[in-house]
């Protein structure tokens, strides 16, 4: 039997959802299809629903519905490609140097983050850093975790160390902390914490991730950014990493990251 949508996946070629290290752990109640695809590292749950709606996912040889559940022994395929079940998930903390572009495919980019890391498992980053900025970038093959970390309503903290060309004044700190209207984006930034660190340096803690947000905020106040470094994402810090290096997040640090990613701050 062949799915009549875009999958084109013969029933006999699909892979059974296993258990143990090479499969997805599930009980008799099964799990939602979008969660299963996220655990397999295919994409986030939201993107999984889009794939399913487009007829690109087959379940037991038939085009799947968005609300489908996957049970032990079910056969799942995406775009005719075999799913081997959930791989062991990994989270990397990477020190992105200046000059590296956060993209997976860009023929004009000299240095691409995934190629710079060269990790043997396909990983995706959670939250971009522009080419001229440096610092902490979290990457994972867990699409569900990435989706939770990037969800704007989660209010998850990201901390940056910034050097500017002008003096850091109290008036500047107060205006940055109160939120800045960005006409080009038609939005006012959320109130945030801003701490003076030196005559021309400060730390800023954001709970949103607008495009080039800090640079835009500074520019709105006629302030020039000299350097920008992300030093923390939630509970993960840049400590101990040199530019271009990465480490695997594990143990209690990883458990805390998952707990915080589940939390929505108001």
């Amino acid at each position: 039997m062949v799915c009549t949508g875009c999958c084109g996946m013969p029933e006999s070629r699909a892979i059974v959802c296993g258990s143990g290290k090479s499969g997805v752990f599930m009980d008799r109640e099964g799990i939602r299809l979008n969660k299963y695809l996220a655990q397999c590292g295919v994409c986030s749950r939201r993107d999984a629903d889009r794939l399913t709606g487009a007829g690109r996912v087959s379940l037991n040889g038939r085009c799947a519905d968005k609300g489908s559940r996957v049970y032990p022994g079910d056969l799942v395929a995406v775009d005719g490609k075999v799913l081997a079940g959930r791989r062991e998930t990994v989270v990397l903390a990477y020190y992105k140097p200046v000059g590296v572009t956060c993209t997976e495919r860009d023929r004009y980019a000299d240095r691409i983050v995934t190629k710079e890391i060269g990790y043997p498992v396909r990983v995706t980053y959670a939250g971009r850093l522009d080419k001229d900025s440096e610092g902490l970038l979290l990457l994972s093959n867990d699409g569900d975790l990435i989706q939770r970390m990037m969800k704007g309503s989660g209010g998850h903290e990201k901390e940056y160390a910034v050097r500017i060309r002008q003096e850091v004044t109290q008036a500047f700190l107060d205006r940055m902390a109160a939120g800045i209207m960005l006409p080009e984006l038609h939005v006012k930034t959320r109130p945030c914490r801003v701490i003076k660190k030196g005559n021309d340096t400060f730390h800023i803690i954001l709970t949103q991730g607008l495009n080039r947000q800090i640079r835009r905020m500074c520019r709105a106040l006629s302030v020039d950014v000299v350097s920008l470094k992300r030093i923390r994402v939630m509970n993960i810090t840049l400590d101990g990493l040199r530019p271009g290096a990465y480490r695997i997040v594990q143990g209690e640090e990883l458990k805390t990251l998952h707990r915080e990613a589940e939390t929505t701050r108001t």
Side-chain angles (χ1 to χ4, degrees):
M1 183 181 299
V2 178
C3 172
T4 58
C6 300
C7 304
M9 180 64 182
E11 181 178 12
S12 61
R13 285 183 57 202
I15 293 298
V16 178
C17 308
S19 60
K21 290 187 177 181
S22 62
V24 175
F25 292 90
M26 62 179 80
D27 55 27
R28 292 181 180 178
E29 296 181 357
I31 61 174
R32 287 181 63 88
L33 178 60
N34 59 1
K35 182 176 182 180
Y36 174 83
L37 293 176
Q39 288 184 347
C40 288
V42 174
C43 56
S44 68
R45 293 193 198 186
R46 181 180 302 175
D47 287 340
D49 286 336
R50 294 194 184 103
L51 286 176
T52 305
R56 297 170 60 185
V57 182
S58 67
L59 179 61
N60 295 325
R62 299 178 182 273
C63 283
D65 297 320
K66 289 184 181 180
S68 298
R69 299 187 71 84
V70 180
Y71 299 91
D74 278 347
L75 313 173
V76 181
V78 177
D79 287 339
K81 293 186 65 175
V82 169
L83 295 185
R86 186 185 70 177
R87 297 166 295 180
E88 287 296 300
T89 59
V90 63
V91 177
L92 306 178
Y94 169 62
Y95 189 148
K96 186 196 88 68
V98 171
V100 174
T101 303
C102 286
T103 184
E104 294 186 16
R105 293 177 299 274
D106 185 346
R107 60 179 179 172
Y108 300 108
D110 295 326
R111 301 170 66 190
I112 294 175
V113 61
T114 49
K115 290 185 178 179
E116 289 289 314
I117 295 176
Y119 198 72
V121 173
R122 181 183 180 275
V123 290
T124 304
Y125 49 84
R128 294 172 179 266
L129 275 174
D130 64 66
K131 182 178 178 181
D132 298 327
S133 300
E134 63 180 313
L136 181 62
L137 195 66
L138 296 185
L139 302 99
S140 179
N141 61 344
D142 186 340
D144 197 31
L145 174 62
I146 290 176
Q147 183 68 27
R148 295 198 308 271
M149 287 194 295
M150 294 183 65
K151 193 173 182 180
S153 61
H156 304 307
E157 291 186 347
K158 296 174 285 290
E159 185 172 356
Y160 301 79
V162 187
R163 182 179 299 277
I164 58 177
R165 209 171 297 282
Q166 294 84 354
E167 180 183 357
V168 176
T169 65
Q170 189 58 50
F172 169 79
L173 296 174
D174 291 343
R175 291 193 64 184
M176 291 284 282
I180 301 291
M181 183 64 198
L182 303 177
E184 66 273 33
L185 299 182
H186 307 287
V187 67
K188 182 178 180 179
T189 62
R190 291 177 186 169
C192 59
R193 283 189 285 161
V194 190
I195 307 103
K196 182 173 182 176
K197 290 294 183 178
N199 186 60
D200 60 352
T201 58
F202 66 93
H203 284 192
I204 182 169
I205 301 172
L206 303 178
T207 57
Q208 65 186 140
L210 302 176
N211 178 257
R212 298 175 68 89
Q213 180 172 342
I214 297 171
R215 295 181 186 275
R216 292 179 187 271
M217 292 171 71
C218 289
R219 187 169 63 229
L221 299 179
S222 300
V223 169
D224 302 316
V225 172
V226 175
S227 65
L228 192 157
K229 179 193 296 185
R230 184 156 64 197
I231 59 175
R232 178 172 66 87
V233 176
M234 299 163 68
N235 66 305
I236 310 299
T237 70
L238 195 62
D239 294 349
L241 284 176
R242 66 184 187 280
Y246 70 83
R247 64 181 177 84
I248 297 176
V249 178
Q250 52 192 341
E252 286 302 317
E253 189 179 35
L254 180 59
K255 291 179 182 178
T256 300
L257 177 65
H258 277 280
R259 284 197 301 267
E260 292 194 8
E262 293 285 356
T263 302
T264 299
R265 301 170 188 249
T266 56

